[in-house]
């Protein structure tokens, strides 16, 4: 017996196999040149009824246009431009221009900026920086200690009570805060008379007294800022350090503090800005006895010192913006460097 071939050729009268074209057939393969029915992708091809098909561009078919992500942020950009951009532009323009009250002409000048860095204005600017840096540093240390005690505590009620109190006290400021301290630690305050603090040289209406008042609302603010960062410290890191023989101090020195450095510095920047821009509490408590830039700006705008010093007040405000920008420039690189550790 002769085995059948798997691909035996058809007989003379057999029909052509599927996928094959007999010689002289009218229907050619789409790939065959000169065929009657061309591929739909071929420009100028004809359909089955002879109607020319519209030419299609080669490549991927055109789909829906991609959405623009910046459209979602457009309301925020408009709001920021109206609420921050326009005032900042007006402030900058007023700080570098001078208008002649007689002729009504306006010219550019650097007199206001130079005057804002001289005499009592420079003293007030330096005093605000010193007060803000000192209170921010003390509040950062105290806030971290309190937050660490709250995070490591196993009592959920203590954590809730501390965070709730911090949220209330962080927003308690202004004239009510000054009045509360005057009634408590003032010259005739309750605590002053009970503890005879006046005999110890205590004076609420001084740089030291203002520092204590600022700590009252800066420490709770730091607690709110640093608690989420402390929660981000993974327990596995501490366990790994202790299993290799490291002490608690070595863990915080080489692992904990480097990871928390951006959060701590960010909290310091926030506290510095809050203290640097505070006005109502200091104005109600010390008046002009402690030189602060916010008080000088208020005096220049109201004309209490010299008439026509409004542009100097704008220059002082511009100096405050520059100082805040320099502080932020120190914070941002550290934040980008260690943000990957808290992911």
């Amino acid at each position: 017996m002769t085995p059948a071939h798997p691909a035996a050729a058809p007989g003379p009268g057999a029909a052509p196999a599927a996928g094959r074209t007999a010689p002289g057939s009218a229907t050619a393969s789409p790939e065959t040149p000169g065929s009657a029915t061309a591929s739909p992708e071929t420009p100028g091809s004809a359909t089955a009824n002879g109607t020319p098909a519209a030419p299609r561009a080669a490549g991927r078919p055109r789909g829906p246009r991609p959405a623009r992500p910046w459209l979602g942020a457009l309301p925020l950009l408009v709001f920021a431009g109206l609420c921050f951009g326009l005032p900042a532009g007006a402030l900058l323009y007023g700080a570098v221009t001078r208008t002649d009250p007689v002729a009504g002409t306006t010219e550019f000048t650097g007199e206001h900026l130079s005057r804002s860095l001289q005499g009592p204005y420079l003293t007030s600017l330096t005093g605000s920086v010193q007060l803000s840096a000192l209170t921010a540093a003390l509040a950062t240390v105290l806030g971290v200690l309190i937050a660490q005690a709250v995070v490591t505590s196993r009592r959920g009620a203590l954590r809730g009570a501390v965070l709730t109190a911090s949220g209330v006290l962080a927003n308690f400021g202004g004239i009510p805060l000054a009045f509360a301290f005057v009634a408590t630690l003032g010259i005739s305050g309750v605590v002053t008379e009970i503890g005879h603090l006046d005999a110890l040289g205590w004076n609420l209406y001084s740089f030291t007294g203002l520092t204590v008042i600022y700590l009252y609302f800066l420490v709770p603010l730091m607690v709110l800022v640093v608690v989420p960062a402390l929660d981000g410290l993974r327990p596995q890191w501490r366990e790994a350090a202790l299993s290799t023989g490291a002490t608690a101090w070595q863990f915080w020195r080489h692992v904990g503090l480097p990871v928390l450095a951006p959060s701590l510095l960010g909290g310091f920047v926030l506290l510095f800005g809050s203290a640097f821009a505070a006005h109502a509490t200091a104005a109600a408590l010390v008046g002009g006895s402690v030189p602060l830039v916010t008080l000088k700006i208020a005096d220049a705008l109201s004309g209490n010192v010299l008439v026509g010093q409004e542009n100097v007040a704008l220059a002082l405000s511009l100096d405050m913006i520059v100082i805040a920008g320099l502080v932020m420039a120190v914070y941002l690189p550290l934040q980008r460097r260690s943000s990957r550790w808290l992911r």
Side-chain angles (χ1 to χ4, degrees), residues 66-87:
R68 294 179 174 85
W70 59 269
L71 288 177
L74 184 59
L76 177 62
L77 297 177
V78 173
F79 176 80
L82 293 177
C83 297
F84 297 99
L86 291 180

Side-chain angles (χ1 to χ4, degrees), residues 29-47:
S29 173
E31 291 80 6
T32 305
S35 59
T37 304
S39 173
E41 288 79 4
T42 305
S45 61
T47 59

Side-chain angles (χ1 to χ4, degrees), residues 26-262:
T27 305
S29 173
E31 291 80 6
T32 305
S35 59
T37 304
S39 173
E41 288 79 4
T42 305
S45 61
T47 59
N49 57 3
T51 304
R56 299 177 63 180
R60 300 177 58 184
R62 180 177 298 178
R65 301 182 65 181
R68 294 179 174 85
W70 59 269
L71 288 177
L74 184 59
L76 177 62
L77 297 177
V78 173
F79 176 80
L82 293 177
C83 297
F84 297 99
L86 291 180
L91 186 148
L92 177 62
Y93 179 78
V96 297
T97 58
R98 177 177 55 192
T99 302
D100 190 350
V102 178
T105 58
T106 301
E107 60 180 359
F108 289 94
T109 179
E111 177 185 357
H112 308 308
L113 292 175
S114 62
R115 185 178 298 179
S116 66
L117 299 176
Q118 298 175 0
Y121 298 114
L122 180 60
T123 303
S124 63
L125 192 63
T126 305
S128 292
V129 171
Q130 292 176 352
L131 178 63
S132 303
L134 177 61
T135 54
L138 294 176
T140 299
V141 175
L142 296 176
V144 169
L145 295 178
I146 297 175
Q148 176 63 15
V150 170
V151 170
T152 56
S153 176
R154 298 182 179 180
R155 299 179 180 179
L158 176 63
R159 179 188 178 102
V162 172
L163 294 182
T164 302
S166 298
V168 174
L169 297 178
N171 295 280
F172 183 67
I175 297 178
L177 178 61
F179 173 77
F181 269 87
V182 168
T184 306
L185 294 173
I187 298 177
S188 302
V190 177
V191 178
T192 303
E193 294 183 353
I194 294 176
H196 301 286
L197 299 181
D198 51 351
L200 301 176
W202 166 254
N203 183 16
L204 180 64
Y205 314 102
S206 62
F207 185 89
T208 304
L210 203 59
T211 300
V212 174
I213 295 179
Y214 277 27
L215 291 177
Y216 185 83
F217 61 87
L218 292 181
V219 172
L221 181 59
M222 186 62 190
V223 172
L224 296 176
V225 170
V226 80
V227 163
L230 291 174
D231 289 334
L233 285 178
R234 301 177 183 177
Q236 295 84 351
W237 298 345
R238 179 187 292 271
E239 295 173 359
L242 297 179
S243 63
T244 55
T247 62
W249 165 248
Q250 290 175 337
F251 166 76
W252 285 107
R253 171 65 178 82
H254 298 285
V255 180
L257 289 179
V259 172
L260 292 177

Side-chain angles (χ1 to χ4, degrees), residues 325-343:
L326 293 177
V327 175
M328 288 297 298
V330 177
Y331 161 67
L332 291 178
L334 287 179
Q335 193 274 337
R336 289 194 301 264
R337 179 179 179 182
S338 60
S339 60
R340 61 181 182 271
W341 293 101
L342 294 177
R343 292 177 181 174

